Every structure is written in structure tokens, then in C-alpha cells.
Amino acid sequence: MTEMKPVSEATAVKAPVLPDAQTVTEVKHWTDSLFSFKVTRPATLRFRSGEFVMIGLLGDNGKPLLRAYSIASPSWDDELEFYSIKVQNGPLTSKLQHIKPGDQIILRPKPVGTLVHDALLPGKRIWFFATGTGFAPFASLLREPQTYEDYDEVIITHTCREVAELEYGRQLIDSIRQDEMLAELIGEGFADKIHYYPTTTREESPKMGRITDLLKDGTVFSDLGIEGGIKPETDRAMVCGSLAFNLDIKEILEGFGLREGANSEPKEFVIEKAFVG
């Protein structure tokens, strides 16, 4: 019979805990290159829908490996959701893509970002322009009551290479339209303000083409029944995508007479630059 010894503080082995640790509660893999996950929310965390935080894991050297991630859940949610690409050789995502419920991640509770309502002047119609995982901040804003209080129309465009890459956004839009709690929170009929405009650039789909090209040739406006294009008097916009995409959309919006704003100086459109360059 093995002798039982009392466990003292000196002999106990404590499980390592990450700094600023939060626990993974859900993981969903959408494609071979895209996944989303939810984690617990720090009790003290306050953020504006559309902002981002730094999240990550410990690197091989034992030091935190952090990247900026938009919070995809709205500011009122009990959990925090994130939407990510998988980069097989990426320092962080090569590891992050293997997380499962019960695991821990590092979350630095200091939200910041440009894609917030405070950075825009009042308007009547808002455009959310996204490519790939740039949809994440708009997943938050589409579930934010202020979006529907401030605007009569909400247009979300999402451009990806293949149809499967649109699935996260498509399912989110469908869930918003059917969410009774959101209808109670925001008001019946709020979802009628949403116009979802997905496009693909490689795989065949109902709407093919880059959103930039479809804006330039007027296809978007004819499809949505918008006369006169984008107007600085009524239209506002938020942009989140690759550097090239952001620059192209910026040029288009400025061509319509809109000006780029910031938290400190609200104007007609804003661009999130934290994820490019």
C-alpha cells in the first residue's frame, strides 16, 4: 500500500494560468481557412460595438504572442466572439486555430478602434464594407441597437473569393432577422432596415465581382434601388478589409464627396487600419 502524504503548498503543482486569461466556450470551423470562437468576458470589460482588443497565446519562448482582433459580439453580450483566418505558418493563428472549449487565451481588456458610431456625423444610411474576416466588427455593429436608432438603412457588403467564405456572415444575418430578443431589444421590424449584399470573386455565385468594381459601374446602386449613388448629406460608411481594399474604397467614397473621420473628428466615413500594413 502506497503511503499517503498530505499535500502542502510547497508540494502542490499548480496549473499554469495565462496572464489576462479568458476561457474558450465555443469554437466553430467554417472552412479550412476560417473559424470563429467565443470566450468568457471579463466582468470589468466595457467596449463600444465595432472596437477591437489584443488577444493571443503564449509563444514558444513563453512570452505573450498577441494580435488585434475585432470583437464580433455586440457590446451588451455576456461573451466575446472573434472571427479569424487560419494561417498554417502564422506565429499566432497556427496555434490559435487548434483551441477548443475549456482552453484559455490571453485577452488584454483595453478596447480601441475607429469603427464606432461616435466617429461618424449623423446620417440616414450607413454602409458597412467588408472583405474576408473584416466582417467581424460589423457582426458586432449589426447587433447594436444604436445602429438602428441612428439610421433608416443599413447596407452590409461582404466580398470573398468563394461562397463558403460568406457563410459566417450569411448565417449571422439570418439569425439577426429571426432573433426575438433583438426584436424586443431594438424594436419590431428593425431587421427590415438591413440590406445584405454578398459577392464572390472566384467561385460562381448569384453576385460576382469585387464590390469596388460594382460601386464604380453603378451595379450596387441599381441592385439596391438607390438613385444618385452615395451622397455626403445622407450616407455614412465604415470600411474593414485588406490595405488595397481600404485604399480603393477610400478613393471611391472621397469621389462621392465623403470625408474620412476619426474618434476625435467625426466625418462621413471611417476605416479600420489596425489589421493591415
Side-chain angles (χ1 to χ4, degrees), residues 6-79:
V7 178
S8 66
E9 187 174 342
T11 59
V13 177
K14 295 183 179 180
V17 176
L18 296 176
D20 294 317
Q22 295 301 319
T23 303
V24 177
T25 60
E26 179 182 312
V27 181
K28 184 163 186 177
H29 295 272
W30 298 90
T31 70
D32 291 341
S33 60
L34 294 169
F35 72 109
S36 62
F37 58 97
K38 295 181 180 180
V39 304
T40 53
R41 176 174 179 170
T44 57
L45 177 63
R46 298 290 180 269
F47 69 95
R48 296 176 294 176
S49 293
E51 290 187 315
F52 66 87
V53 290
M54 302 298 290
I55 67 172
L57 299 167
L58 289 182
D60 295 335
N61 60 1
K63 296 181 180 179
L65 182 60
L66 305 172
R67 293 289 184 272
Y69 271 78
S70 287
I71 303 173
S73 46
S75 60
W76 50 264
D77 207 326
D78 292 334
E79 294 183 308

Side-chain angles (χ1 to χ4, degrees), residues 185-237:
L185 185 67
I186 301 173
E188 291 291 341
F190 81 94
D192 294 337
K193 294 184 175 183
I194 301 173
H195 302 283
Y196 176 47
Y197 197 86
T199 73
T200 56
T201 57
R202 291 187 185 177
E203 185 179 0
E204 190 72 26
S205 71
K207 180 57 63 174
M208 297 285 295
R210 299 181 184 279
I211 190 66
T212 47
D213 294 336
L214 299 173
L215 284 166
K216 289 175 182 177
D217 66 15
T219 299
V220 174
F221 308 122
S222 59
D223 286 345
L224 297 176
I226 296 173
E227 295 184 5
I230 295 174
K231 305 180 183 69
E233 298 80 17
T234 56
D235 291 74
R236 303 294 176 259

Side-chain angles (χ1 to χ4, degrees), residues 29-246:
H29 295 272
W30 298 90
T31 70
D32 291 341
S33 60
L34 294 169
F35 72 109
S36 62
F37 58 97
K38 295 181 180 180
V39 304
T40 53
R41 176 174 179 170
T44 57
L45 177 63
R46 298 290 180 269
F47 69 95
R48 296 176 294 176
S49 293
E51 290 187 315
F52 66 87
V53 290
M54 302 298 290
I55 67 172
L57 299 167
L58 289 182
D60 295 335
N61 60 1
K63 296 181 180 179
L65 182 60
L66 305 172
R67 293 289 184 272
Y69 271 78
S70 287
I71 303 173
S73 46
S75 60
W76 50 264
D77 207 326
D78 292 334
E79 294 183 308
L80 300 177
E81 181 181 358
F82 300 95
Y83 185 41
S84 177
I85 58 171
K86 305 176 188 178
V87 180
Q88 299 310 318
N89 297 320
L92 177 58
T93 58
S94 60
K95 297 179 175 64
L96 194 62
Q97 64 183 291
H98 299 298
I99 58 172
K100 56 186 183 298
D103 290 347
Q104 290 184 334
I105 69 162
I106 302 167
L107 188 149
R108 294 285 162 81
K110 295 181 180 179
V112 291
T114 310
L115 303 181
V116 293
H117 286 305
D118 293 345
L120 293 176
L121 295 171
K124 294 184 178 180
R125 176 167 52 213
I126 189 163
W127 297 77
F128 295 146
F129 293 109
T131 58
T133 54
F135 191 92
F138 305 130
S140 175
L141 287 157
L142 284 165
R143 291 177 281 184
E144 169 59 50
Q146 186 181 349
T147 300
Y148 305 93
E149 294 169 3
D150 289 355
Y151 298 98
D152 298 329
E153 287 183 89
V154 180
I155 301 173
I156 171 70
T157 78
H158 191 200
T159 300
C160 295
R161 293 167 302 176
E162 301 173 357
V163 173
E165 296 171 342
L166 294 167
E167 193 62 15
Y168 173 83
R170 187 193 69 77
Q171 287 195 24
L172 181 99
I173 296 293
D174 285 347
S175 69
I176 289 174
R177 295 189 189 283
Q178 301 168 29
D179 196 313
E180 294 180 358
M181 187 190 75
L182 277 178
E184 184 175 339
L185 185 67
I186 301 173
E188 291 291 341
F190 81 94
D192 294 337
K193 294 184 175 183
I194 301 173
H195 302 283
Y196 176 47
Y197 197 86
T199 73
T200 56
T201 57
R202 291 187 185 177
E203 185 179 0
E204 190 72 26
S205 71
K207 180 57 63 174
M208 297 285 295
R210 299 181 184 279
I211 190 66
T212 47
D213 294 336
L214 299 173
L215 284 166
K216 289 175 182 177
D217 66 15
T219 299
V220 174
F221 308 122
S222 59
D223 286 345
L224 297 176
I226 296 173
E227 295 184 5
I230 295 174
K231 305 180 183 69
E233 298 80 17
T234 56
D235 291 74
R236 303 294 176 259
M238 295 185 180
V239 186
C240 191
S242 67
L243 177 59
F245 173 76
N246 289 357

Side-chain angles (χ1 to χ4, degrees), residues 246-265:
N246 289 357
L247 291 174
D248 286 346
I249 290 288
K250 174 183 170 73
E251 183 179 354
I252 291 169
L253 293 175
E254 289 179 340
F256 280 112
L258 277 65
R259 300 165 298 168
E260 184 176 358
N263 279 276
S264 59
E265 193 175 2

